[in-house]
């Protein structure tokens, strides 16, 4: 029986190719938009989490600091919330940068001179890694003699949080608009199929077929359209992600900040939600029992 319903649903989709394709394309576009927003927001959150796991501050020194490095290190480690301070000489910093950028080492080979200053890598205690603590330690560091600049990624992290928040909001608005359009198109698609089969439906009801038996092929058609749209949208998103991930500049970024495609749980949730949209669209077209 179920196989027969699926066969009937496929026949109905093939019999109305233009409007069925429009329904699938609308769902695919909505999934592509919301998926892209989720993808960027997910990776922004991932970058923030990775940053929190290894929260650190970099204190860069003047070219001729008034205090010896050992004494300055002691004063830094005496600050409240600081776990350790590691002195990094400018030559060691350049060597470490070359190691981290091994695939792009040629970019650093022809430098006329080392542009990096001496500095300290400062790590906080795990229970002290809040924004207030970071800002407090940074403020104290700037008062120490010989420290020229303190960097701890505040601007970058703040921008990442703003982008993630904006994408979530924008993605929700855009996906809602496309959801309404997809529901309307799927409902109209199913309504046209019902109309084309009005005589067959009337006969089935006349001979005593249950309402579920009559409606099953139409629900399945809506489910298939929703699933097909989600598959196309996610496929396009994955192809775009793979193309961008192969770009050299993003490969460099991946060595510093990891990024990944949507998690399996998110992918399954999107597929399920899109399939549900198709089913709801079918239900809307069948909401009122009609002899048509």
């Amino acid at each position: 029986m179920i196989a027969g319903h699926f066969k009937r649903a496929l026949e109905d989709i093939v019999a109305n190719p233009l409007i069925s394709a429009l329904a699938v394309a609308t769902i695919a576009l909505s999934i592509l938009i919301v998926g892209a927003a989720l993808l960027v927001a997910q990776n922004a959150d991932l970058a923030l989490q990775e940053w929190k796991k290894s929260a650190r501050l970099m204190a860069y020194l003047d070219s001729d600091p008034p205090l010896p490095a050992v004494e300055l290190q002691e004063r830094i480690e005496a600050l409240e919330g600081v776990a350790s301070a590691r002195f990094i000489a400018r030559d060691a910093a350049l060597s470490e940068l070359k190691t981290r950028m091994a695939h792009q080492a040629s970019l650093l080979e022809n430098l006329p001179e080392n542009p990096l200053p001496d500095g300290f890598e400062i790590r906080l205690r795990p229970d002290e890694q809040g924004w207030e603590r970071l800002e407090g330690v940074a403020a104290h560091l700037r008062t120490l003699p010989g420290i020229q600049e303190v960097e701890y990624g505040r601007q970058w992290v703040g921008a990442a949080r703003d982008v993630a928040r904006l994408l979530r909001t924008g993605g929700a608005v855009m996906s809602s608009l496309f959801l309404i359009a997809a529901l309307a198109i799927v409902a109209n698609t199913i309504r046209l199929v019902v109309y084309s089969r009005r005589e067959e439906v009337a006969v089935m009801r006349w001979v005593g077929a249950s309402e579920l038996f009559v409606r099953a092929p139409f629900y399945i058609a809506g489910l298939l359209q929703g699933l097909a749209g989600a598959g196309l949208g996610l496929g396009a998103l994955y192809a775009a992600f793979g193309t961008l991930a192969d770009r050299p500049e993003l490969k460099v970024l991946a060595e510093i900040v990891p990024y990944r495609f949507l998690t399996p749980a998110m992918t399954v949730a999107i597929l399920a939600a899109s399939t549900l949209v198709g089913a709801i669209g079918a239900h809307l077209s069948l909401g009122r029992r009609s002899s048509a």
Side-chain angles (χ1 to χ4, degrees):
M1 183 186 300
I2 296 178
H5 291 324
F6 267 97
K7 181 180 178 182
R8 181 74 255 190
L10 290 173
E11 291 174 350
D12 291 337
I13 291 174
V14 172
N16 299 273
L18 182 59
I19 194 166
S20 295
L22 180 59
V24 171
T26 304
I27 294 174
L29 183 58
S30 65
I31 293 300
L32 178 61
I33 291 173
V34 70
L38 286 173
L39 181 61
V40 177
Q42 169 193 274
N43 283 288
D45 287 339
L46 179 62
L48 289 171
Q49 292 170 7
E50 290 295 323
W51 185 86
K52 287 180 180 179
K53 290 179 182 178
S54 57
R56 64 176 185 174
L57 298 89
M58 293 299 301
Y60 300 107
L61 306 184
D62 293 327
S63 57
D64 187 21
L67 296 179
V70 175
E71 183 178 346
L72 193 54
Q73 180 176 357
E74 291 176 352
R75 295 183 65 171
I76 292 173
E77 291 180 337
L79 294 176
E80 183 181 359
V82 172
S84 64
R86 179 171 70 97
F87 177 72
I88 303 177
R90 57 200 306 266
D91 292 337
L94 182 60
S95 176
E96 183 176 337
L97 181 61
K98 289 181 178 180
T99 300
R100 295 180 64 180
M101 298 180 61
H103 297 295
Q104 288 76 33
S106 60
L107 300 175
L108 304 173
E109 289 177 355
N110 299 319
L111 291 174
E113 62 180 15
N114 186 350
L116 302 179
D118 295 331
F120 283 95
E121 180 186 71
I122 302 156
R123 295 187 180 275
L124 304 184
R125 298 190 184 98
D127 58 343
E128 301 286 351
Q129 292 176 359
W131 284 116
E132 295 78 8
R133 176 55 58 194
L134 277 171
E135 293 172 351
V137 172
H140 280 93
L141 287 171
R142 293 189 183 98
T143 64
L144 296 179
I147 292 183
Q148 182 181 43
E149 183 180 355
V150 179
E151 172 62 42
Y152 57 101
R154 175 180 173 81
Q155 293 180 344
W156 175 85
V157 174
R161 294 170 69 186
D162 291 341
V163 168
R165 188 179 302 111
L166 177 63
L167 286 169
R168 290 193 191 95
T169 303
V173 173
M174 293 295 293
S175 60
S176 297
L177 295 175
F178 278 99
L179 173 63
I180 294 172
L183 284 173
I185 292 175
V186 171
N188 287 328
T189 302
I190 302 301
R191 189 174 292 114
L192 287 176
V193 175
V194 173
Y195 181 78
S196 68
R197 292 179 53 200
R198 61 192 181 280
E199 294 181 359
E200 180 184 343
V201 169
V203 170
M204 285 192 293
R205 285 172 172 164
W206 183 72
V207 298
S210 67
E211 196 65 21
L212 179 60
F213 183 87
V214 172
R215 295 182 176 213
F218 304 119
Y219 280 116
I220 292 173
L223 290 171
L224 291 176
Q225 289 174 359
L227 185 60
L232 287 174
L234 288 173
L237 181 63
Y238 184 78
F241 177 82
T243 300
L244 291 174
D246 287 336
R247 295 180 65 87
E249 55 268 30
L250 286 182
K251 287 184 178 180
V252 174
L253 179 62
E255 296 177 3
I256 303 173
V257 180
Y259 57 86
R260 66 188 181 196
F261 192 65
L262 296 174
T263 63
M266 283 187 176
T267 302
V268 171
I270 290 174
L271 287 170
S274 181
T275 304
L276 182 61
V277 166
I280 294 174
H283 180 73
L284 292 176
S285 69
L286 299 168
R288 291 182 301 175
R289 176 171 172 166
S290 172
S291 60

